[in-house]
Structure formats: structure tokens, C-alpha cells
Amino acid sequence: MSGAVGRRGAAYRRVLGYREPRLLLGAAFVSEIGDWLNIVALLVLATRFGDGALSVGVLLALRLVPRLLFQAPAGALVDRVPNRALLIQTQLAMAAIAGAFVLLDAIPSLWLLYVLVFALETANVVGLPAFRAFLAAVTPPEERAPATGLFYLAMTTARFGGPVVGAALLGPLGATAVFLVNAATFVVVAVAVGRLPDARRGDGPAGAKPAAAGPVGYRWLMRQRDLAWYAALQTALSLLIQATIALFVVRALSLGLDAEGVGYFYTAVAIGSIAGGLIAGTGRHDRAQALYLVAGSLGACALALAWFGAAMGIWAALIALVVAGFATDVGEVTAIAFFQQRLPDEVFGRFFSVFLLALGIGGVLGALGGPVLETLVGAGGALAMLAAPSIVCAGVLFAITRKRIQMSPVGDALTREPMASAD
């Protein structure tokens, strides 16, 4: 046991031994904390300026709209401008927009709030894939799996620490101070990136992969059956996850908790997520067999959320959420590490955009469909029905992977044949 723990720790120490990934991961953590500070303030202002829960609901939905509209062209832009300049410019633009939220102190308008949120999220559809692609470019290929695990650890930790810090600052300092702190976190990322050398695809440390034989783009990506079914699985699972979150209060009340019991649910998911991401991040995940783990983990997440919907006791529900959080991060970290190593470097931006778009589409459908379905068949029935598509997609991905491995002695899951069109 101690030997296994030592090997896993060594993988993360190797990544943090490189200056470039270390700086970027630290900056990502600071930026994510700032994002959650911002969200707390936005929810408070939306409630104050608008019609209570309705204005908050519109705000949350509006944050996803830019991803649905612009994520695909944003991914192509990241791939066509594969250097740090785009990332720095995007972070500075986001800093300016985040700073503009201070106008709400002088102009307390719900519509101005919505416009600024839309602008910030539009910039973020470029900023997020640009950051992930740059992190991959400056990380040795053999260390990308632990780097992904550390990235998920930073995001999970910030997700559950940021709102607490935001609530603590909002009271004594007000929303303006919170907005300025968030703007400063984007500047931190820009400064961190500016301290690093430029890293174009194929120029990363330790020898990045050679370029593909022909042009690649979204059409080429979606012709990779493994990736196409992974995207379908992520869409279905995101739908289920968002539906589950939308029903957290309903489940808390049905289990005899107050509405504040939702906090226990989020904590259970966080515990599982941290453990899953750390464990998955220590694997290589450079062979097609990694997709067995992806399919099994994400399928297990769907089963765990269905279990959560049907659980009759508090402990059973909490254990189900720990399992779901663990399985989700194992599947996502493994999949991203695998595709990062197997796809041509020049298509990283598009790959991350496919992933983000799948999460966005599923999230919107789940947030709306979960509560509607719950009124018809109850929470347990709704989550069981919504788990079915994820289980089916996981089964298909598993079967495709098995066929690929049987046909290829080296277990290559992706081919790189030239395509007639890049997009």
C-alpha cells in the first residue's frame, strides 16, 4: 500500500518539478477561486435586482449560452493561433470585463448584469480551451495524465472553497471588492503565462508528437468513433448530473433534511472527486485499454446517481454521491489524458471544445428536464430514466474499444488518416 501511494505521489512530484506546469496549475487555482467569488456576488445581485429565483435561473442559463453558440469556432481559433499570445489577450479581456462589473454599484440594473455575464462567458469560451491547450503544450507528453489530475484537484478544491471565501468577503467588503478580486485573478493568469516561453504544438518539452499526416478538424474528430461516442457519453452524463443537482433540494427534503442539506451532497461529491482525480492522474492512459476504464467509470457514475435518486436513507444517498464523484473524475481524467496523448497536438483546442460543448448541451437539457420529469415520475424515477442513455453510451464505447483492440495488436484507438476538409 505504501509503495503504491509513493508511486502515485512521485508522479505528481515529477509534474510539479517542471516550472511551466507548476506556474499554470497555480494560476488556474487562483483564477478558479476568483470565478467562484464572482458567482456568489452575481447570485446575490441577481436576486436583489430582479424577481428572486427567476432572475437567478435566467442568470445561470445565460452563462451556458455563449458555450452553445461560440464554443466550436473558439476551438478552431485556439488551434489556428497556438501560442501564448491568444491566452494572454483573452485573460486580459476577461480581467477588463470582470472589472466592469463594478458599474453595477452605480447602475443597479439586471439587464446590465446579464450583458456583462454574457460578455465574460463569451471570452471564457476561448480562454478555457486556450488554457488547457497551452498547459498540454508545456507539459511533457508522458506527464500529461498527472497534470490533468492536478488540474481537476485544483478545480474541485476551488469549487468548494471559493463560495465560502466569497460569502465571507461579500458581507464586509461588498460586491465591488469581490469583482475587483476576480478581475485580479485573470491578471494573475496572464502574468503567469507571460513568464513562460511560447509553446506551439509540437515544440513542447520532452518531444511532443509530430503533426498529423493531413489536415484535421471537427469533421476529422467526429469520424473517430471512440471520440464521437465519448462525446455522446459526456452529453448524456452531463444531462444526468445537472438533473441530479436540480433535484438536490427535493432529495434533501425527502430524506428528512432541511434544504441546507444540499451542502452535505456537494461535500460528498467533492470527497469522491478529489480521490478519483488523484488516483486516475497517476496512470499513463496511453493505450486503447484506457477507454475500458472510461466507459466503466462513467457508466458507474450513472448507476450511482440512479441509486442516489432511489436511496431511502441519508447514508445511502451520501455514499452514492461519493461513488458518483469518484467515478466521474476517474473517467474524465483518464479520457482527457488518453485523447491528449493520441490526438494530433494541432487539434487540442477543438478537442477541448467538443468536450465543453457536450457538457454545455447536456447541462442545459438536464437543468430543465430533470425538474419537469420529477413532477411526472418522482425523483427516483426521473434519475433512473435519465441514467439509461449514459449506460447505453458507456456500453457502446466499451464494445467499440474491445473491437479496436482485437483488430489492432498495438491497441491504437485512433487513426490519423488525412481528411479532405479540416472543418
Side-chain angles (χ1 to χ4, degrees):
M1 178 70 74
S2 61
V5 172
R7 287 192 297 272
R8 295 183 188 281
Y12 292 115
R13 288 193 296 272
R14 286 196 306 271
V15 173
L16 296 176
Y18 291 97
R19 175 173 174 266
E20 294 87 350
R22 184 174 65 246
L23 274 176
L24 286 178
L25 289 169
F29 176 74
V30 171
S31 181
E32 187 74 4
I33 286 283
D35 290 345
W36 282 99
L37 300 182
N38 193 53
I39 289 173
V40 171
L42 292 179
L43 295 179
V44 171
L45 292 183
T47 303
R48 184 184 304 167
F49 295 163
D51 187 21
L54 177 60
S55 58
V56 172
V58 172
L59 172 70
L60 295 176
L62 192 61
R63 296 181 71 238
L64 294 173
V65 172
R67 182 181 296 181
L68 301 181
L69 295 178
F70 307 125
Q71 194 65 70
L77 175 64
V78 169
D79 287 332
R80 290 180 178 129
V81 189
N83 53 46
R84 65 177 183 168
L86 177 64
L87 180 54
I88 293 173
Q89 293 164 6
T90 303
Q91 294 299 316
L92 293 178
M94 293 172 71
I97 297 170
F101 277 91
V102 301
L103 294 173
L104 294 169
D105 188 44
I107 310 173
S109 165
L110 183 62
W111 287 106
L112 177 59
L113 175 64
Y114 287 163
V115 168
L116 291 173
V117 166
F118 187 87
L120 185 61
E121 293 302 323
T122 298
N124 195 40
V125 301
V126 177
L128 186 53
F131 181 90
R132 298 295 296 276
F134 191 75
L135 176 61
V138 301
T139 303
E142 65 273 13
E143 307 296 352
R144 285 174 180 171
T148 301
L150 287 173
F151 179 85
Y152 270 75
L153 174 63
M155 297 303 98
T156 302
T157 304
R159 185 182 306 134
F160 293 95
V164 176
V165 177
L169 292 178
L170 189 60
L173 300 180
T176 296
V178 172
F179 293 141
L180 291 176
V181 170
N182 186 40
T185 63
F186 293 117
V187 176
V188 167
V189 177
V191 171
V193 174
R195 295 180 62 187
L196 301 177
D198 201 358
R200 294 179 178 273
R201 311 299 185 271
D203 294 337
K209 302 186 297 296
V216 292
Y218 285 115
R219 185 180 301 176
W220 183 90
L221 278 173
M222 300 318 295
R223 285 186 59 179
Q224 313 309 310
R225 296 180 66 200
D226 315 79
L227 179 57
W229 278 103
Y230 172 67
L233 174 54
Q234 279 291 4
T235 302
L237 192 62
S238 176
L239 188 157
L240 174 61
I241 290 172
Q242 290 302 316
T244 303
I245 293 172
L247 298 179
F248 266 2
V249 173
V250 173
R251 289 299 290 140
L253 296 176
S254 68
L255 291 169
L257 300 171
D258 294 330
E260 289 77 9
V262 168
Y264 297 121
F265 295 163
Y266 277 110
T267 301
V269 174
I271 292 171
S273 295
I274 290 172
L278 285 175
I279 291 175
T282 57
R284 288 295 299 272
H285 310 308
D286 58 349
R287 302 294 294 272
Q289 286 82 351
L291 294 180
Y292 283 148
L293 181 58
V294 174
S297 298
L298 298 185
C301 175
L303 291 173
L305 293 180
W307 172 19
F308 168 75
M312 301 300 293
I314 296 173
W315 283 108
L318 292 176
I319 291 172
L321 291 177
V322 171
V323 172
F326 180 88
T328 299
D329 273 38
V330 167
E332 290 189 3
V333 170
T334 301
I336 290 176
F338 171 76
F339 287 116
Q340 278 185 340
Q341 295 175 90
R342 307 292 281 180
L343 290 170
D345 287 358
E346 60 266 34
V347 79
F348 276 2
R350 292 178 178 89
F351 162 66
F352 286 124
S353 290
V354 168
F355 174 71
L356 294 172
L357 192 57
L359 296 182
I361 294 172
V364 171
L365 294 177
L368 298 175
V372 172
L373 198 56
E374 186 271 337
T375 63
L376 301 176
V377 296
L383 295 184
M385 292 175 63
L386 294 177
S390 297
I391 295 170
V392 171
C393 289
V396 174
L397 179 59
F398 189 95
I400 288 174
T401 302
R402 182 180 181 184
K403 183 177 179 181
R404 290 265 186 170
I405 292 173
Q406 290 174 342
M407 294 176 61
S408 174
V410 297
D412 283 341
L414 294 177
T415 58
R416 295 188 183 178
E417 69 275 9
M419 295 291 296
S421 172
D423 296 298

